[in-house]
Amino acid sequence: MALNKVLKVQNDSELLSYIINENPLLKSEIDLPVQGESIAPIGKLIVNNERYKNAFINTVNMIGLTIIDRNYWEDPWENFTNGRILNYGDSVRELAVDIADVFDYNEYAENPTHFLQNVVPNVYNYIHRINYQKFYKTTTSDEQIAMAFVNEGGLMGLIEEIISSLYEGYKYDKYIVNKYMLCRRILDGTTTSIEIENYANLTPRQRVAKMKNISNLMTFRSPNYNPAGLRIATMFDRQIAIINTDFEADLTTEVLATSFFRNDAEMKSRMAMIDGYDRHDTPRLLEVLGDQYVAFTDAELSALGNVIGNIIDDEFFQNYTYSLDNASDGSADGIRRTSFYNPESLKNNHWLHYWGIKSTSPFKNCVTLTKTAPAVTSVAVSPSTATVSQGSELQLNAVVTTQGFANKSVIWTVDSAEGETAGHKVTVDINGKVQVPSDYNTSNTITIKATSVYDSTKYNTAVITVASSTLPSITSVTVTSAGNVTSITEDTTLQMSATVERTGNASQSVVWSIDSDAVTDGFTISATGLLTAPASASVEEVTVTATSVFDDTKKGTKKLTVTQA
């Protein structure tokens, strides 16, 4: 059994001695077992005394993490997916800074005030919030505890019963959720996909050489390896290689290991296996993630089967553990372990609570190695045309159509903005939000460009028209008749006109109408203001009204006398 390797105990008697020595109450009031003698009398003493039994269970909870973490199933991604402890708040703001902008000396040499202008650094941020709150539960009875002291090996079995199912579930779920997040990023095209051409016909050494070349390239500043398009580098000591089991068999052959890693120790610390990108424990993921889980389609799983591995920055996974109040058990891992004795059922319930953030960084480098060729077929920007006011914002969106796992991210840039004034520039952020200065010249349009991160030859643009920021309004509506006549004769028509005074770009359209008596008498007026009188009219006067479409409280009227034909 694994316990004896951790605690260096050979039997239940030695294990009980360890537990007693770890708890001050037990240590001060209970004698240690004698080797070769039954531990049943001590067990009876513990089970029949509530203080001793609670102290025993609490000590088992305390030592459980050490036992399980070191001796049962090992999470192969443990070293680079275990995040830091979040001591307060419910979110973490991840910051990234791109390199500084560059300016042409000759362009600004004669500008005496340019040195006074502030240049805001390219700082990007992303907020990761607590999105993972789980607990695990198991139950033991007084009978189980009592029997543990009677049967040889029973005490070790009891600890396994209490602790193993809790921690094994917790560790397994961490791994499958991290694996799920990585595969979703791959499918969403937010990792950089690189084909290892003719993979099936390459020798293992050639495959590793291809991988090493990509690793080398990632040590240079480049916008090509993260979805934000930041010009960042990931040095060798920050790179983690995640590879499928087939590729691992090639890589760990002694002659090949040194092709990528400098030594065996480095290989073990910077390499992790994955048990297939196309293999997922769907029932368990659905149980763990609930509504957050999006099932993989057959086509997605088939595509993931072509993934060989990933090279990631060691901060690609943004996992944080919220520090629950666990001072009582002496733990510093952010996990809370509790037990509760139910006097009615005579059973002990054991819980493990874990709260945290499960996320990945949009700024850190991540490359996906695949057997298929990724490509971007098109980039579409919506809206492609728009009108905004001076000093306002506009959110643009890019839809990138790809094949394979090509990165679907784009780099947003201001392609042209000739209406800018000195010190007041049009800006567009990494999410496509455009900010127009309040003094932008409305006679000039703005062109915003979205360029594929993966293939810079694929791009599209949006053209923005800038309108005056003056608030639109209607000030007055005036109605006149053709020739300024004041009457209309039976069985004739008369063209009416409306003059609409406005501010800004308010609509000058109107809706025409006539008074109800005239309508009853047979008068009509068209949408264009053509008034038609009946052949025989009984009313002596008709009132024509023009109502503003933009502001229906603004109207103009004109009264016309009706004359006989």
Side-chain angles (χ1 to χ4, degrees), residues 129 150 212 217 225 267 290 312 378 383 550:
R129 299 190 182 279
V150 175
K212 176 60 176 173
L217 291 173
Y225 305 120
M267 179 182 70
I312 66 172
S378 66
F550 184 83

Side-chain angles (χ1 to χ4, degrees), residues 223-295:
N224 296 332
Y225 305 120
N226 63 84
L230 299 180
R231 297 169 181 84
I232 59 176
T234 302
M235 306 312 292
F236 292 126
D237 60 350
R238 301 294 302 274
Q239 294 180 17
I240 301 293
I242 301 174
I243 56 179
N244 65 31
T245 52
D246 291 339
F247 196 19
E248 193 273 346
D250 290 339
L251 190 59
T252 54
T253 302
E254 183 177 352
V255 68
L256 299 178
T258 54
S259 299
F260 189 80
F261 301 103
R262 287 173 295 186
N263 52 59
D264 187 63
E266 182 185 62
M267 179 182 70
K268 291 179 179 178
S269 66
R270 289 177 43 216
M271 184 183 71
M273 283 194 297
I274 183 172
D275 57 337
Y277 288 85
D278 56 345
R279 299 172 186 168
H280 295 270
D281 189 342
T282 299
R284 184 71 176 188
L285 282 169
L286 183 59
E287 186 179 354
V288 173
L289 297 178
D291 293 340
Q292 297 180 70
Y293 176 65
V294 178

Side-chain angles (χ1 to χ4, degrees), residues 5 53-54 89 125 150 169 193 227 251 286 305 368 454 506 558:
K5 296 181 182 178
K53 183 170 65 176
N54 289 334
N125 72 90
V150 175
S193 181
L251 190 59
L286 183 59
T368 297
Y454 184 83
K558 185 174 181 64

Side-chain angles (χ1 to χ4, degrees), residues 34-302:
V34 177
Q35 289 294 328
E37 296 184 5
S38 172
I39 64 171
I42 299 177
K44 185 176 181 179
L45 180 64
I46 291 174
V47 172
N48 292 333
N49 183 298
E50 288 297 320
R51 293 170 60 240
Y52 295 162
K53 183 170 65 176
N54 289 334
F56 172 81
I57 292 175
N58 288 336
T59 305
V60 169
N61 283 334
M62 182 181 69
I63 69 173
L65 182 61
T66 300
I67 294 170
I68 297 301
D69 269 358
R70 295 183 183 177
N71 292 277
Y72 294 151
W73 180 75
E74 293 289 344
D75 177 1
W77 296 9
E78 185 86 10
N79 291 337
F80 57 91
T81 58
N82 265 357
R84 287 156 286 186
I85 298 294
L86 182 62
N87 291 309
Y88 56 88
D90 65 351
S91 61
V92 173
R93 184 185 298 272
E94 182 186 3
L95 298 178
V97 182
D98 202 358
I99 59 178
D101 294 335
V102 61
F103 299 91
D104 184 83
Y105 172 81
N106 293 319
E107 181 180 352
Y108 294 98
E110 303 301 324
N111 187 333
T113 62
H114 184 260
F115 78 97
L116 297 173
Q117 298 172 13
N118 294 326
V119 177
V120 180
N122 297 320
V123 179
Y124 306 94
N125 72 90
Y126 186 86
I127 296 177
H128 305 272
R129 299 190 182 279
I130 287 180
N131 58 358
Y132 194 86
Q133 296 169 283
K134 308 297 174 184
F135 71 86
Y136 302 81
K137 180 181 177 181
T138 190
T139 301
T140 57
S141 65
D142 281 355
E143 289 79 5
Q144 286 176 289
I145 297 176
M147 291 298 295
F149 292 96
V150 175
N151 300 320
E152 179 61 33
L155 191 55
M156 290 185 177
L158 175 68
I159 292 181
E160 184 173 290
E161 178 75 21
I162 295 175
I163 301 301
S164 177
S165 61
L166 298 177
Y167 284 98
E168 290 294 280
Y170 156 68
K171 290 174 61 177
Y172 177 69
D173 290 344
K174 281 199 308 177
Y175 170 72
I176 64 172
V177 169
N178 286 324
K179 177 180 168 182
Y180 171 80
M181 290 193 298
L182 175 60
C183 289
R184 272 287 158 219
R185 284 285 301 267
I186 293 171
L187 290 169
D188 292 342
T190 53
T191 69
T192 298
S193 181
I194 298 178
E195 178 192 15
I196 296 185
E197 298 179 6
N198 199 27
Y199 179 83
N201 297 321
L202 296 178
T203 65
R205 183 180 293 276
Q206 289 172 326
R207 294 172 183 174
V208 174
K210 297 278 188 180
M211 183 180 178
K212 176 60 176 173
N213 179 55
I214 296 166
S215 171
N216 291 343
L217 291 173
M218 291 176 68
T219 64
F220 292 86
R221 282 192 179 272
S222 171
N224 296 332
Y225 305 120
N226 63 84
L230 299 180
R231 297 169 181 84
I232 59 176
T234 302
M235 306 312 292
F236 292 126
D237 60 350
R238 301 294 302 274
Q239 294 180 17
I240 301 293
I242 301 174
I243 56 179
N244 65 31
T245 52
D246 291 339
F247 196 19
E248 193 273 346
D250 290 339
L251 190 59
T252 54
T253 302
E254 183 177 352
V255 68
L256 299 178
T258 54
S259 299
F260 189 80
F261 301 103
R262 287 173 295 186
N263 52 59
D264 187 63
E266 182 185 62
M267 179 182 70
K268 291 179 179 178
S269 66
R270 289 177 43 216
M271 184 183 71
M273 283 194 297
I274 183 172
D275 57 337
Y277 288 85
D278 56 345
R279 299 172 186 168
H280 295 270
D281 189 342
T282 299
R284 184 71 176 188
L285 282 169
L286 183 59
E287 186 179 354
V288 173
L289 297 178
D291 293 340
Q292 297 180 70
Y293 176 65
V294 178
F296 294 103
T297 65
D298 290 342
E300 287 175 333
L301 291 174
S302 177

Side-chain angles (χ1 to χ4, degrees), residues 185-196 214 224-227 303-304 306-311 366-376 402-409 453-455:
R185 284 285 301 267
I186 293 171
L187 290 169
D188 292 342
T190 53
T191 69
T192 298
S193 181
I194 298 178
E195 178 192 15
I196 296 185
I214 296 166
N224 296 332
Y225 305 120
N226 63 84
L304 287 170
N306 290 313
V307 177
I308 303 162
N310 291 93
I311 303 177
C366 176
V367 169
T368 297
L369 309 174
T370 177
K371 302 173 187 177
T372 56
V376 173
T402 66
Q403 63 185 40
F405 305 115
N407 195 328
K408 296 181 181 180
S409 301
V453 168
Y454 184 83
D455 182 355

